[in-house]
Amino acid sequence: DTAVSQTPKYLVTQMGNDKSIKCEQNLGHDTMYWYKQDSKKFLKIMFSYNNKELIINETVPNRFSPKSPDKAHLNLHINSLELGDSAVYFCASSYRQNTEAFFGQGTRLTVV
Amino acid sequence: AQSVTQLDSQVPVFEEAPVELRCNYSSSVSVYLFWYVQYPNQGLQLLLKYLSGSTLVKGINGFEAEFNKSQTSFHLRKPSVHISDTAEYFCAVLQGGSEKLVFGKGTKLTVNP
């Protein structure tokens, strides 16, 4: 069984559209994250939720809005997509602070 | 702010040769250190971690890393690489009390026959 699963794996969309990426973890973790990996492979945290509460919000445009309906899910909604949003987005989860994060397979978003 | 430096962006080696991928971090407070591997078009997989205790940490696939507090380093090593080790390797640091994992820019390891 997949521990951290993201859907879709690939997403191609036009500028200006609104899209969502879903993430679910079945590890019983209480902390979930969204990371963005740019074209140069650089990974940067975007958001972190602990028990459905937002605890980290890096300098991400307001067009990005995470939503955590429960501890096992953290979805990412993006409004008014721009070309620069093209990247691979990774969802991750961890049991608590100071433990390793488990990553999903990533969602490759391409904005045309 | 915490930062991680991976000194080599690309490391080409021949099969069965030893390899060392270098990682240095900036924080002087308690840190937790990780190495992740990313195979082409895949997610990140944890190779090994240092949380406390022995400074020599062994991970999966024959990799090991040594935590050196005085040099603020956490270099990754493998005595004999295989072609299947070709991948991107990321060093990451978690500062004690923080939930923000900070990644280095990655090192692309290419193992040639």
Side-chain angles (χ1 to χ4, degrees):
Chain A
D1 286 342
T2 304
V4 182
S5 60
Q6 300 176 224
T7 54
K9 189 171 181 180
Y10 299 96
L11 184 54
V12 181
T13 187
Q14 289 186 329
M15 281 175 54
N17 284 351
D18 302 338
K19 290 293 179 186
S20 291
I21 307 172
K22 295 186 176 181
C23 178
E24 176 182 4
Q25 55 95 4
N26 62 5
L27 297 166
H29 291 165
D30 55 9
T31 304
M32 295 186 71
Y33 313 82
W34 277 107
Y35 281 83
K36 180 180 179 180
Q37 186 175 45
D38 63 23
S39 58
K40 295 184 178 180
K41 301 284 188 180
F42 184 54
L43 277 154
K44 190 174 180 186
I45 191 168
M46 300 172 69
F47 302 103
S48 173
Y49 269 73
N50 181 269
N51 283 321
K52 302 195 299 175
E53 184 179 339
L54 180 66
I55 53 173
I56 292 176
N57 183 350
E58 292 295 286
T59 50
V60 178
N62 291 337
R63 299 181 295 103
F64 290 78
S65 54
K67 287 184 171 53
S68 181
D70 55 59
K71 276 189 357 177
H73 296 83
L74 181 61
N75 303 323
L76 183 65
H77 189 76
I78 315 170
N79 289 327
S80 304
L81 278 155
E82 299 178 357
L83 292 177
D85 297 333
S86 296
V88 181
Y89 293 85
F90 285 100
C91 178
S93 72
S94 65
Y95 179 51
R96 58 181 186 272
Q97 287 185 358
N98 308 329
T99 61
E100 69 269 27
F102 290 79
F103 284 78
Q105 293 296 296
T107 295
R108 182 174 294 276
L109 171 65
T110 304
V111 183
V112 297
Chain B
Q2 181 66 263
S3 68
V4 180
T5 303
Q6 291 185 243
L7 295 161
D8 305 298
S9 59
Q10 296 189 53
V11 174
V13 294
F14 287 108
E15 194 173 17
E16 297 183 9
V19 72
E20 179 179 79
L21 306 183
R22 297 179 290 172
C23 173
N24 287 87
Y25 61 95
S26 64
S27 176
S28 61
V29 299
S30 65
V31 293
Y32 305 90
L33 298 153
F34 308 86
W35 274 99
Y36 284 85
V37 60
Q38 185 179 27
Y39 298 104
N41 298 315
Q42 293 192 24
L44 282 80
Q45 181 182 0
L46 182 70
L47 268 181
L48 48 79
K49 61 185 178 185
Y50 171 79
L51 303 181
S52 65
S54 173
T55 56
L56 182 62
V57 179
K58 293 193 184 295
I60 61 171
N61 301 341
F63 284 93
E64 64 180 32
E66 185 153 20
F67 170 57
N68 188 319
K69 188 174 182 179
S70 62
Q71 297 186 8
T72 60
S73 68
F74 191 55
H75 301 332
L76 180 71
R77 294 191 290 259
K78 186 170 182 178
S80 175
V81 293
H82 303 291
I83 289 182
S84 59
D85 292 324
T86 294
E88 193 90 25
Y89 291 79
F90 293 93
C91 181
V93 173
L94 185 64
Q95 189 168 321
S98 167
E99 297 201 20
K100 188 163 73 171
L101 195 58
V102 177
F103 284 87
K105 293 191 174 182
T107 297
K108 183 175 173 60
L109 174 66
T110 304
V111 182
N112 298 301

